[in-house]
Amino acid sequence: MNQKSPWKIKSSQVVYANPWIKVNEHQVINPAGNDGIYTVVEFQNIAIAILPIDQDGYTYLVGQYRFSLNSYEWEIPEGGCPLGTEPLATAQRELQEECGLLAQHYECILHMQLSNSVSNEISYSYIATQLTHTNAEPEETEQLQIKKLHFRDLYQMVMEGEIKDALSVATILKTAMLYPAYLK
């Protein structure tokens, strides 16, 4: 269903920008006909998540300190795909950089809008299979710990609230629905 926007933009201004985000403030007339302000965060990358699963049902988690939350978090391998870059190429690069893994097969299982009330950020999630090991090459901002565990244990971490990252949770739950045999 394609509907016309009930919002009218009177003016727009970039109030902040860096290589990762741009913040736009819009002076608007809202759907009720009143003046208002709507601020939108435009992401300069597409979020990519990769769930590597080997032939025995084992997968890999990445542990790292998340500055924005001031906490250490466990999540599946993730990264940013620059606009104009193929998401699959980014998934391949991130899996190798973060976990030192190469995969012969990738399946895109999920495309999401991450917070569509305030941002334009989208994501793609992949399952990576037929894995081989190589050298990891984390970025200078990443101090990563890698944990290998069975998918059923990963799923349990989600169900118990130990994994809170939205991309990880959604990808793991979708994988469990698509491939329930991984839970055995």
Side-chain angles (χ1 to χ4, degrees), residues 49-55 58-60 77 88-97 99-108 126-135 182:
I50 311 99
L51 179 61
I53 302 179
D54 71 15
Q55 68 276 5
Y58 283 86
T59 187
Y60 298 81
L88 176 57
T90 297
Q92 293 166 332
R93 175 180 49 79
E94 288 293 337
L95 184 59
Q96 190 268 320
E97 280 181 8
C99 294
L101 293 171
L102 302 174
Q104 288 193 11
H105 184 262
Y106 286 83
E107 178 186 3
C108 186
Y126 293 87
I127 296 174
T129 56
Q130 299 173 23
L131 306 175
T132 56
H133 292 272
T134 186
N135 292 326
Y182 285 144

Side-chain angles (χ1 to χ4, degrees), residues 98-166:
E98 293 191 358
C99 294
L101 293 171
L102 302 174
Q104 288 193 11
H105 184 262
Y106 286 83
E107 178 186 3
C108 186
I109 62 163
L110 196 55
H111 178 216
M112 295 190 305
Q113 301 168 347
L114 297 182
S115 185
N116 66 11
S117 63
V118 295
S119 84
N120 70 343
E121 187 175 27
I122 61 170
S123 68
Y124 291 93
S125 294
Y126 293 87
I127 296 174
T129 56
Q130 299 173 23
L131 306 175
T132 56
H133 292 272
T134 186
N135 292 326
E137 299 173 5
E139 296 176 6
E140 68 178 22
T141 60
E142 297 174 322
Q143 215 174 25
L144 307 177
Q145 183 179 349
I146 307 301
K147 181 190 295 189
K148 181 179 178 181
L149 67 164
H150 197 277
F151 181 79
R152 69 179 161 266
D153 298 321
L154 179 66
Y155 178 81
Q156 195 60 41
M157 288 177 75
V158 168
M159 299 310 291
E160 292 174 4
E162 294 176 59
I163 296 176
K164 298 176 274 304
D165 170 65

